[in-house]
Amino acid sequence: EQQKKLIHESEAKYRFLADNISDVIWVLDPKTKRWLYMSPSITRLLGYSVDEMMLQPMEKTLTAGAIGDVQRWIRERSQAFLDGQDADHVYMDEVEYCCRDGSGVWCEVTTHFTLNEQGEMILLGVMRNITERKKAEEQIRNLAFYDSLTQLPNRRLLQDRFSQVISACRRNN
């Protein structure tokens, strides 16, 4: 009886944490690309309910530009995990997701490749909204490489492109 009470209390603490954290916690089956778990904070992030997320494959939640990269990462990293090539099996990526209203949201996604109780590979992850950070980075890049009045490329961008071309020419003789 005491054991059941402790398990129930522990489960309640974890559920409270998962239900109230602002980051999204998720579990994904890498074979089917289906969500096995999604925390309720997904509704604040993308506008979908947990039930709606659970019914759609992972690809449906990504923007068109992100689908290919994410599929490749999962394929390559799954193989590295199964081959025992990578000791950590934890990866951090920036991925653009598609919100229910059609807008995009940039997320920092931390993914951990591991095995479940049955010995099958699963992906555990956390995603955090970094849209404002991405906007600030773009604004900084624009301020560094473009004239603020005319929006024409500036000398710094020209120098940057010249150095890229010179490096490419040196590599290719």
Side-chain angles (χ1 to χ4, degrees):
E1 186 64 33
Q2 180 67 17
Q3 193 78 320
K4 285 183 180 179
K5 182 181 177 190
L6 290 173
I7 290 171
H8 179 71
E9 288 174 2
S10 176
E11 187 176 304
K13 286 179 189 177
Y14 284 111
R15 184 168 308 283
F16 178 78
L17 176 66
D19 288 354
N20 292 289
I21 193 168
S22 60
D23 293 349
V24 176
I25 301 169
W26 52 265
V27 180
L28 181 79
D29 181 336
K31 290 179 191 162
T32 64
K33 310 281 190 315
R34 292 281 181 180
W35 302 108
L36 302 174
Y37 172 79
M38 185 67 64
S39 66
S41 48
I42 194 66
T43 304
R44 284 190 303 274
L45 182 67
L46 299 182
Y48 293 104
S49 71
V50 172
D51 291 338
E52 289 171 323
M53 288 296 290
M54 299 298 285
L55 290 174
Q56 55 188 325
M58 177 219 34
E59 289 91 348
K60 293 280 187 185
T61 62
L62 300 170
T63 60
I67 292 172
D69 286 338
V70 172
Q71 288 174 333
R72 181 175 41 80
W73 293 336
I74 290 174
R75 185 176 56 253
E76 291 172 357
R77 294 168 181 175
S78 294
Q79 194 58 52
F81 175 76
L82 294 172
D83 294 345
Q85 296 171 358
D86 187 0
D88 279 344
H89 312 301
V90 177
Y91 304 91
M92 189 174 292
D93 302 294
E94 293 180 357
V95 178
E96 190 175 18
Y97 285 85
C98 190
C99 296
R100 182 185 192 115
D101 66 8
S103 64
V105 62
W106 279 96
C107 294
E108 179 180 82
V109 181
T110 304
T111 307
H112 178 76
F113 286 65
T114 190
L115 299 175
N116 63 14
E117 300 83 26
Q118 292 78 34
E120 301 163 329
M121 182 175 49
I122 58 169
L123 309 184
L124 308 175
V126 176
M127 60 184 171
R128 169 179 293 150
N129 187 341
I130 59 166
T131 302
E132 291 304 314
R133 185 181 91 196
K134 294 292 279 187
K135 286 179 183 175
E137 288 171 359
E138 181 64 23
Q139 185 177 14
I140 290 167
R141 191 182 82 64
N142 282 338
L143 288 171
F145 292 123
Y146 294 90
D147 180 81
S148 59
L149 182 61
T150 64
Q151 294 302 308
L152 292 171
N154 63 19
R155 185 174 60 185
R156 190 168 181 180
L157 180 63
L158 179 66
Q159 290 170 334
D160 179 65
R161 293 302 191 271
F162 269 140
S163 66
Q164 288 178 11
V165 168
I166 289 169
S167 296
C169 289
R170 285 186 180 139
R171 280 193 306 270
N172 299 323
N173 290 324

